[in-house]
Amino acid sequence: EIPAGDVISIEPVEPPEAEPPVWQGRFQIGISGQTGNRERFRGNARFDIRRESEDVLLSGYASARYAFDNGRRSENAQRAGARNEYIVSPMAFWYTAIDLERDEFKNLDLRTTVSAGLGRTWWRDGANFWKTSAGIGFTHEDFRDDGSDIAPVTELVSDYSKRLNDILTFTNATKYVQDLDDFSSWRASNDAALEVDLTENGAWQLRVGLLHEYDNSPSPDVKRLDTYYYLNAVRNF
């Protein structure tokens, strides 16, 4: 019991401060080779970084592919980009993005695509999610033999990730870009992969995947479809 006349002082309890968002990164590399009747080397590498807060998701990437057959370079391609997603609600966001691409054997000196649009997260449960977005922007292309071109474009993007069990994760990323000046000119890509955890905390993984890249109007003497098989070692940090 509290004696009459006594005053109880209750100090307000401040909620704990939210931890500031931190940068997360991933580096992956894969190589293959052959010696003997034919000297062959192929390699690819990719670096991703992201920082997520309550309101904004920042992400960026850089990747490269190289190949040498009998001492002669047979593949030389690089990509880089950044994307900002601004969270409107748990299910909706808008974004801005930039992508850069160079490919020696497609006669592409530089392709720059800048876009902005709206997106929706259809479901999310921890690391499991599926989200799509649609945007509009422009693409500027410099070709080695065909000069340069600039055109308005629209794009559709789908990003999916599903944890299958304690060690396996399936991911699928699809992108479609349509030239609005020439509807016969469009590009699409799909990257499907299975990731296997090699350590309990997931810091090391093995990633096996299949990447399709299709260009409906490539440069002369360049095939429309490229298909890449890869097996990469992954380090998350």
Side-chain angles (χ1 to χ4, degrees):
E1 296 184 0
I2 301 175
D6 285 1
V7 178
I8 300 176
S9 177
I10 301 178
E11 296 183 358
V13 178
E14 296 183 358
E17 294 185 0
E19 295 184 1
V22 298
W23 288 100
Q24 297 176 319
R26 157 181 283 201
F27 178 75
Q28 52 183 308
I29 186 171
I31 59 174
S32 63
Q34 176 185 342
T35 61
N37 293 319
R38 187 165 188 168
E39 300 293 328
R40 177 179 295 172
F41 169 82
R42 284 181 171 83
N44 73 88
R46 180 178 171 111
F47 176 73
D48 293 270
I49 193 168
R50 57 181 282 144
R51 181 178 184 269
E52 185 172 7
S53 66
E54 293 184 359
D55 302 322
V56 181
L57 170 60
L58 308 177
S59 61
Y61 73 94
S63 66
R65 292 193 302 265
Y66 294 95
F68 293 86
D69 286 335
N70 290 331
R72 299 182 62 181
R73 188 167 62 235
S74 57
E75 187 173 5
N76 179 21
Q78 300 84 37
R79 289 187 173 187
R83 181 180 172 102
N84 296 341
E85 295 182 2
Y86 304 91
I87 311 302
V88 178
S89 72
M91 303 297 289
F93 60 90
W94 66 277
Y95 75 93
T96 58
I98 181 171
D99 291 282
L100 308 173
E101 180 182 358
R102 178 184 178 274
D103 195 320
E104 177 183 356
F105 290 87
K106 292 181 180 178
N107 298 322
L108 179 63
D109 286 335
L110 181 64
R111 174 186 287 139
T112 304
T113 302
V114 178
S115 60
L118 301 175
R120 177 177 173 84
T121 301
W122 297 97
W123 58 268
R124 183 167 187 173
D125 179 14
N128 303 318
F129 65 87
W130 178 39
K131 60 183 180 181
T132 59
S133 60
I136 192 168
F138 70 89
T139 292
H140 182 272
E141 297 176 321
D142 283 314
F143 291 96
R144 186 181 309 116
D145 302 323
D146 298 335
S148 62
D149 180 51
I150 185 170
V153 296
T154 185
E155 66 177 20
L156 301 173
V157 179
S158 172
D159 197 8
Y160 176 88
S161 178
K162 174 65 176 178
R163 187 77 170 178
L164 301 179
N165 55 35
D166 292 340
I167 64 171
L168 295 178
T169 301
F170 174 74
T171 66
N172 188 287
T174 303
K175 187 173 186 178
Y176 173 86
V177 180
Q178 173 67 61
D179 188 328
L180 297 179
D181 280 344
D182 180 4
F183 281 88
S184 66
S185 178
W186 54 271
R187 307 185 309 275
S189 65
N190 178 263
D191 187 359
L194 189 66
E195 299 175 352
V196 184
D197 291 349
L198 301 179
T199 57
E200 291 186 1
N201 61 359
W204 288 96
Q205 294 178 313
L206 201 61
R207 179 180 172 92
V208 56
L210 180 62
L211 171 63
H212 297 286
E213 294 181 345
Y214 185 88
D215 189 338
N216 195 52
S217 55
S219 297
D221 301 323
V222 176
K223 293 182 178 180
R224 295 183 178 185
L225 177 64
D226 283 320
T227 300
Y228 304 92
Y229 308 87
Y230 60 88
L231 177 63
N232 291 354
V234 180
R235 177 67 168 94
N236 297 301
F237 57 90

